[in-house]
Amino acid sequence: MAQQSSVQTGSNQNTKNQTLSRGLVLLMAISCGLVVANLYYNQPLLADIGRSFGVDAQHVGIISMLTQIGYAMGLFLFIPLGDIRERRKLIVILLIAVGFSLIGVAAAQSLAWMYAASLAVGITTVAAQIIIPLAAQLAEPHERGRIIGSVMSGLLIGILLARTVSGWVGELFGWRTMFGLAAVLMFGLAYVLRRQLPLSPPDIKLSYPGLIRSIGRLIVEQRTLREAALIGAFMFASFSVFWTSLTFFMESPSYEYGSGIAGMFGIVGVVGAAAATVIGRLADRIKPSSMVGFMIVICLLSFLSFWLIGSWIWGLIAGVILLDLGVQGSQVANQTRIYSMLPEARSRINTVFMVSVFIGGAIGSTLGGYAWSEWGWSGVCFTGGGLAFVALLIWTGHRLSGIQK
């Protein structure tokens, strides 16, 4: 067994040295962006979808919530398999599955159907979270932050541009067309990755029940993982509060714009998201935990900007840049911390972190729709800022208790 482990380790090292080219990193980044975009196409289209089914903002906001909940479920069910199954095959299977789920959304004939199909999209849109640990595995330790930052830039830009693309496609051709196009993209991406990704044999031999049980042990034993997961959850909740509510704010008397303009703010957010590569490089040199605290403060400043000057377009633009820089920067710094902990458990560590993040996103999506319905834009700003402030309290509390990672 020891000899087998040694052979496998040598094989993995050779794979690392031979296959992590700049082109492969770029392909991984683009793939992550295209895959994760499936979760966000619906946000600029919520008002249009609501009109199609004759429901208000609170009810249509559940679509975004179910997508996020489904994503958390998919992370828990499928991502741990990356530690015990060949990753390329797993990625391709998931891409095909999400393609069929997107067809279900495009064909939805009732709100209940839409809810079910959106949940299915979330459950199957998890391939990006297998690609990211794969990139971390292939990277040398001294450049892991840079590689993670590069791949995360693609993922984050995908999150933001998804809103831009879906907003314009929805305005020009209708919301169903967007989901049909997304399905075609997933089938095409499955073909490309099947040909281009390297084989990635598992690092350990473990049964699926044992794999799931080991996740609980990781949560209990790894204090840094618990802190990163909690901060990630509250930060992404604040992020989702804003983006779920933006389309309603843009259609309000303050602006009176359609879904296309709401989606255009995704382009603005790319400025912040593109900094993920720089943050990853800094995380290779500066203590990542310090970077996390700084990014939380930037997120708080974004909601202050939304509240004070969000009624002016330039104030909204400034806030979007700060929000995306703060939220995505904190996520890259946290992932740099946790991926350096236990190399043989990166997929399970990623499961804990990302399940927490997207549970936070689901809660934030729901709170965003509720805050807008009950208190308007000021309620959205205070809700999102309050969630980021809780993240700051968690970060401060762990620093005061003497945790230094």
Side-chain angles (χ1 to χ4, degrees):
M1 180 66 71
Q3 182 178 2
Q4 181 181 357
S5 176
S6 174
V7 171
Q8 182 174 327
T9 301
S11 174
N12 288 347
Q13 185 65 42
N14 289 336
T15 300
K16 176 189 295 185
N17 293 336
Q18 294 173 6
T19 62
L20 193 58
S21 64
R22 183 173 299 178
L24 181 58
V25 173
L26 179 61
L27 176 61
M28 287 179 162
I30 293 171
S31 299
C32 285
L34 290 175
V35 173
V36 81
N38 296 322
L39 300 175
Y40 301 97
Y41 290 136
N42 59 33
Q43 290 186 357
L45 303 174
L46 289 176
D48 294 337
I49 294 170
R51 282 189 288 270
S52 295
F53 296 116
V55 296
D56 60 18
Q58 191 168 342
H59 285 87
V60 78
I62 294 174
I63 292 171
S64 193
M65 179 196 74
L66 287 172
T67 306
Q68 302 287 350
I69 289 176
Y71 194 64
M73 292 170 60
L75 289 170
F76 184 78
L77 292 171
F78 298 127
I79 301 309
L81 289 171
D83 285 336
I84 62 171
R85 294 287 184 269
E86 201 281 307
R87 293 179 178 90
R88 185 178 70 181
K89 181 178 180 181
L90 187 58
I91 289 166
V92 170
I93 291 171
L94 287 169
L95 289 174
I96 293 171
V98 73
F100 284 111
S101 299
L102 287 162
I103 291 173
V105 172
Q109 298 300 309
S110 67
L111 190 61
W113 183 340
M114 188 71 178
Y115 286 165
S118 297
L119 182 67
V121 167
I123 291 172
T124 52
T125 304
V126 294
Q129 300 305 330
I130 300 175
I131 295 172
I132 295 169
L134 175 59
Q137 173 194 330
L138 296 173
E140 298 291 349
H142 68 275
E143 62 175 7
R144 185 165 292 128
R146 178 181 66 82
I147 296 298
I148 293 172
S150 297
V151 176
M152 283 297 296
S153 285
L155 182 145
L156 305 175
I157 290 170
I159 290 175
L160 296 165
L161 290 186
R163 299 178 174 92
T164 303
V165 172
S166 68
W168 282 107
V169 170
E171 195 163 280
L172 294 173
F173 305 107
W175 62 267
R176 295 181 189 275
T177 301
M178 183 64 250
F179 293 103
L181 290 173
V184 173
L185 275 174
M186 292 303 99
F187 294 137
L189 188 60
Y191 174 78
V192 171
L193 294 186
R194 175 66 180 82
R195 295 178 61 87
Q196 297 298 325
L197 284 182
L199 285 171
S200 177
D203 298 316
I204 59 172
K205 290 185 177 180
L206 196 65
S207 67
Y208 186 74
L211 190 74
I212 299 301
R213 286 194 298 270
S214 70
I215 293 175
R217 290 195 296 272
L218 285 172
I219 295 171
V220 171
E221 295 170 1
Q222 303 296 328
R223 300 175 74 188
T224 298
L225 178 58
R226 293 198 301 271
E227 179 199 358
L230 283 172
I231 290 174
F234 280 98
M235 290 291 282
F236 205 62
S238 70
F239 181 86
S240 296
V241 163
F242 170 79
W243 284 106
T244 300
S245 308
L246 179 61
T247 184
F248 302 115
F249 185 48
M250 298 305 291
E251 291 189 351
S252 72
S254 297
Y255 286 102
E256 296 183 340
Y257 292 139
S259 61
I261 298 299
M264 285 294 289
F265 274 86
I267 294 177
V268 175
V270 168
V271 176
T277 301
V278 177
I279 294 164
R281 291 178 186 273
L282 290 174
D284 285 331
R285 297 170 174 81
I286 302 172
K287 186 181 293 185
S289 61
S290 299
M291 292 288 296
V292 171
F294 180 66
M295 293 298 156
I296 295 173
V297 172
I298 289 178
C299 181
L300 283 168
L301 290 175
S302 74
F303 280 99
L304 184 63
S305 174
F306 292 142
W307 181 50
L308 293 176
I309 53 178
S311 295
W312 289 277
I313 195 73
W314 58 269
L316 206 57
I317 289 172
V320 168
I321 293 172
L322 290 173
L323 175 67
D324 291 326
L325 174 61
V327 174
Q328 315 307 351
S330 68
Q331 186 163 329
V332 170
N334 265 327
Q335 286 178 300
T336 302
R337 297 169 70 198
I338 63 177
Y339 287 155
S340 65
M341 290 165 37
L342 297 169
E344 73 279 6
R346 285 198 179 106
S347 289
R348 284 166 287 165
I349 286 171
N350 195 46
T351 296
V352 174
F353 180 73
M354 296 309 300
V355 167
S356 301
V357 165
F358 280 90
I359 287 175
I363 293 171
S365 295
T366 304
L367 290 177
Y370 182 80
W372 172 260
S373 297
E374 296 295 322
W375 308 299
W377 186 242
S378 293
V380 169
C381 296
F382 279 102
T383 301
L387 290 165
F389 184 70
V390 173
L392 183 63
L393 291 178
I394 294 169
W395 181 85
T396 303
H398 279 262
R399 304 284 80 70
L400 293 177
S401 67
I403 297 176
Q404 296 295 329
K405 295 292 182 183

